[in-house]
Amino acid sequence: MSATTAPPAGTTPPAPPATVDTHCPYCALQCGMGLRPAAGEEGVEVVERAAFDVNRGALCGKGRTAPALLSSRVRLTEPLVRRRRGGPLEPAGWEEALDRVAEGLSRTRAAHGPDAVGVFGGGGLTNEKAYALGKFARLVLGTSQIDYNGRFCMSSAAAAQGRAFGLDRGLPFPLADVPRTGCVVLVGSNLAETMPPALRYLTELRENGGRLVVVDPRRTRTADHADLHLAPRPGTDLALALGMLHLVVAEGRVDEEFVAARTSGWPEARAAAMAHWPELVERITGVPVPRLREAVAMFCDAPASMVLTARGPEQQSKGTDTVGAWINLCLATGRAGRPLSGYGCLTGQGNGQGGREHGQKADQLPGYRRLDDPAAREHVARVWGVDPNSLPGPGRSAYELLDALGRDVRALLLSGSNPVVSAPHAAHVEERIASLDFLAVCDVVLSETAALADVVLPVAQWAEETGTTTSLEGRVLLRRRAVTAPPGVRTDLEVLNALAARLGWRRGFPTDPEEVFGELRRASAGGPADYSGITYRRIAEEGGVFWPCPEVPGADGAGGPSADPHPGTPRLFLDRFATGDGRARFVPVAHRPAAEEPDADHPLLLTTGRVLAQYQSGAQTRRVAELNGAAPGPFVELHPRLAERLGVAEGEPVAVVSRRGRAVAPARITSGIRPDTVFMPFHWPGEGRANTLTNPALDPTSRMPEFKVCAVRVEAAGSEAVAGEAVPSRPHG
């Protein structure tokens, strides 16, 4: 130890600064981290939290740099109001800002009815905030028009799991099971860039002798780790899964005992799969038949296997059926409801799972209860102290709600979302938002959507408030307050409390998150997502609790002999599925084309996704210098043959044109993408906004937009020449 750092002889060294255990504010992995006061300066710094088993201290660049967003230099610290139509946003006091929001919402409601007021939430809100926002919409505003951006995350997987298993939870098993299985088929996920600390589970899988199959039209960093990479044409994942199931049947690999004992509907699903013979699937997907056979052998020869899907197969107009086909593959081979086997969805947003479980979704009440179920309405209404008949019915899904703005829905309260960048057909969505009579936004930063608002309310963020989130494992976690928010900033719970009071509800909207969680527990009790046995104390002591976790009478020792609390449910479906008869349901599905196929004017396919250093709409990460240095702007990934046809060199600007608009970004040339496909990341606004191009065609069940595939042409920037028509759609993999 140097003289400058050693304490004087005979003295006691000062105690190290206190570290607060918490979780990363970004993706649904919810990595554990510690926060402590930064040495010699204001703010906090991130320290390793090795004891948390999910990431064992490892963090990606986004997690490491998250404290940068706490700086007053990059975030909002006072309310902003637009005092005249077309005027600028100006600083205001909280009383004026809240009065304006209450007046704007109540004026619209009085003039046009409660459903003329909408609420749009975010998958990053804590469980407490999501619960309070849903309650506020349905009680205070009386509106059915509430949904959230988590609809764009995993709604197709949720719908498919619900109809097959009777219950949806991102992963029905803990991540710790992944390295212990024999084979993982990873469909449409680039974990190396979207959830980097999770990549170690796949590395450990292979170190343990397991096999990894990656399905992705791009040769991503994740695909580089695979034993087998399948590169189907975008929009054909459904055919690929059906082709694999066809081979399972043809090669006698069906687990007949499991199918007979624990499933229903197999004859119909088998007949649907047999209509997708391997040569047909090769023509549809471009994946050669020998590769299909190899994937089936890897999956079926292992003693246990898993299929994990992400946004690739889910963000399609047939996403529910696509996920359903992969679930059918698991069921037919006995790879579900057994240890170290199963289907799981890699939820994207930080609280995408909990955000819909507790009331932000248009058709759900807290506890994952259906809004159109009379018993569910009765239970939640009793907790809320209202007449069940006073609760509105189901409303519009996320894109349908955004599309209705300025027409049926005239005012909007938006919290923690940036649809001007993140929604499909984004230029249209921006026009609809701009046409509103009134828009209020609660956010940490002045996002592109907040810049259009009549009132912007600056709210506290992850390190400045306590609350729970639910990770992709279904594990309820506790984020602890580590620092005090700047003067002029309030929590979302304080905002909803103040607005409710102005609108006539002086009770029912507490500002203490633990009190809100206590009410959430009661509202969820007996529901599919039962949190009633989970407390802040238990989460802190146990490192998180897996739902469902019902309350056990007497477990707290009050009123009689103490009982053991429910342990939580890390692994679902081992004994029975969550259906009426306990059997999983096969659902017959058939391949169908994407909503928009290439033609002479738009001969290529666009697919979109994320990059390592940015997150979602980029509203937060684009304000962090280190992350911007690593990923400063959008790009268009092209195959060398397409670039040669265009006469475009690396880094030169190209225009991507769909039926909805035009985006311009530099070319990035790589042989890791199919020749008939281009890729753009979606984190940026402006002329490089990828979602200007994407198709809002909706899945009929999940109402998920088709982000992952649309028809485009590519031009040298400034040119009208069409490129791509001569690029064959041939087998590629």
Side-chain angles (χ1 to χ4, degrees), residues 32-76:
M33 61 165 60
L35 294 178
R36 69 183 179 197
E41 57 185 80
E42 294 182 0
V44 293
E45 61 183 1
V46 171
V47 295
E48 182 178 299
R49 186 182 168 192
F52 187 65
D53 58 341
V54 169
N55 61 308
R56 302 178 195 168
L59 293 168
C60 71
K62 295 184 288 291
R64 281 191 302 99
T65 60
L69 291 166
L70 302 172
S71 169
S72 297
R73 294 188 296 273
V74 299
R75 50 95 62 84
L76 295 167

Side-chain angles (χ1 to χ4, degrees), residues 8 22 28 45 86 88 125 140-141 148 161 176 192 202 208 220 367 395 400 435 442 502 605 644 655 667 695 697 718:
T22 188
E45 61 183 1
L125 301 183
V140 179
L141 299 177
Y148 82 131
Q161 285 180 299
L202 303 182
N208 292 338
T220 64
E400 292 167 303
S435 73
C442 302
R502 283 167 168 78
L605 292 170
E644 182 181 6
N695 191 353

Side-chain angles (χ1 to χ4, degrees), residues 306-326:
M306 296 176 178
V307 172
L308 304 178
T309 68
R311 305 302 79 74
E314 297 163 23
Q315 288 181 328
Q316 298 184 30
S317 60
K318 53 182 181 293
T320 302
D321 284 354
T322 301
V323 173
W326 291 106

Side-chain angles (χ1 to χ4, degrees), residues 285-593:
T285 66
V287 175
V289 172
R291 294 292 184 92
L292 280 177
R293 294 187 185 278
E294 189 177 357
V296 169
M298 286 185 181
F299 187 72
C300 293
D301 289 348
S305 301
M306 296 176 178
V307 172
L308 304 178
T309 68
R311 305 302 79 74
E314 297 163 23
Q315 288 181 328
Q316 298 184 30
S317 60
K318 53 182 181 293
T320 302
D321 284 354
T322 301
V323 173
W326 291 106
I327 291 175
N328 286 350
L329 177 67
C330 291
L331 293 174
T333 54
R335 262 64 174 168
R338 285 177 168 170
L340 306 182
S341 284
Y343 164 81
C345 167
L346 298 167
T347 311
Q349 295 189 76
N351 198 34
Q353 180 76 45
R356 70 178 180 281
E357 290 170 5
H358 298 299
Q360 280 193 103
K361 198 160 171 275
D363 56 353
Q364 287 179 189
L365 287 168
Y368 233 142
R369 287 181 159 90
R370 292 186 57 86
L371 188 53
D372 58 3
D373 176 3
R377 295 170 65 89
E378 171 69 31
H379 174 86
V380 174
R382 186 165 60 250
V383 173
W384 288 351
V386 298
D387 183 343
N389 294 324
S390 69
L391 298 179
R396 292 177 172 90
S397 71
Y399 180 78
E400 292 167 303
L401 174 56
L402 295 172
D403 187 46
L405 299 181
R407 295 190 282 250
D408 296 339
V409 180
R410 310 290 294 269
L412 183 69
L413 175 64
L414 186 147
S415 182
S417 184
N418 188 20
V420 164
V421 178
S422 64
H425 199 1
H428 171 71
V429 169
E430 184 173 5
E431 290 173 359
R432 301 292 359 121
I433 290 174
S435 73
L436 282 163
D437 294 344
F438 180 78
L439 172 64
V441 173
C442 302
D443 211 331
V444 172
V445 298
L446 189 66
S447 70
E448 287 73 22
T449 304
L452 301 176
D454 297 285
V455 179
V456 182
L457 302 176
V459 291
Q461 52 181 307
W462 63 291
E464 299 164 345
E465 58 184 349
T466 294
T468 61
T469 61
T470 305
S471 74
L472 78 172
E473 301 177 292
R475 188 185 333 202
V476 185
L477 303 166
L478 185 63
R479 287 188 193 161
R480 294 176 175 85
R481 178 176 172 270
V483 296
T484 302
V489 170
R490 297 188 183 182
T491 69
D492 294 80
L493 295 180
E494 290 171 338
V495 168
L496 293 175
N497 172 280
L499 290 176
R502 283 167 168 78
L503 295 169
W505 290 75
R506 298 196 173 276
R507 299 182 62 184
F509 291 88
T511 60
D512 174 52
E514 190 166 7
E515 185 178 348
V516 176
F517 189 75
E519 184 180 308
L520 180 158
R521 292 173 59 208
R522 296 193 300 276
S524 74
D530 191 334
Y531 281 35
S532 60
I534 305 175
T535 64
Y536 276 24
R537 179 184 58 78
R538 280 195 65 182
I539 298 171
E541 292 176 353
E542 299 174 28
V545 181
F546 292 84
W547 70 260
C549 182
E551 186 173 24
V552 175
D556 59 1
S562 178
D564 291 333
H566 190 282
T569 315
R571 295 170 183 85
L572 298 171
F573 314 138
L574 295 182
D575 300 318
R576 67 188 312 275
F577 294 95
T579 57
D581 59 7
R583 291 172 173 261
R585 301 186 183 97
F586 281 98
V587 178
V589 295
H591 174 72
R592 59 185 185 272

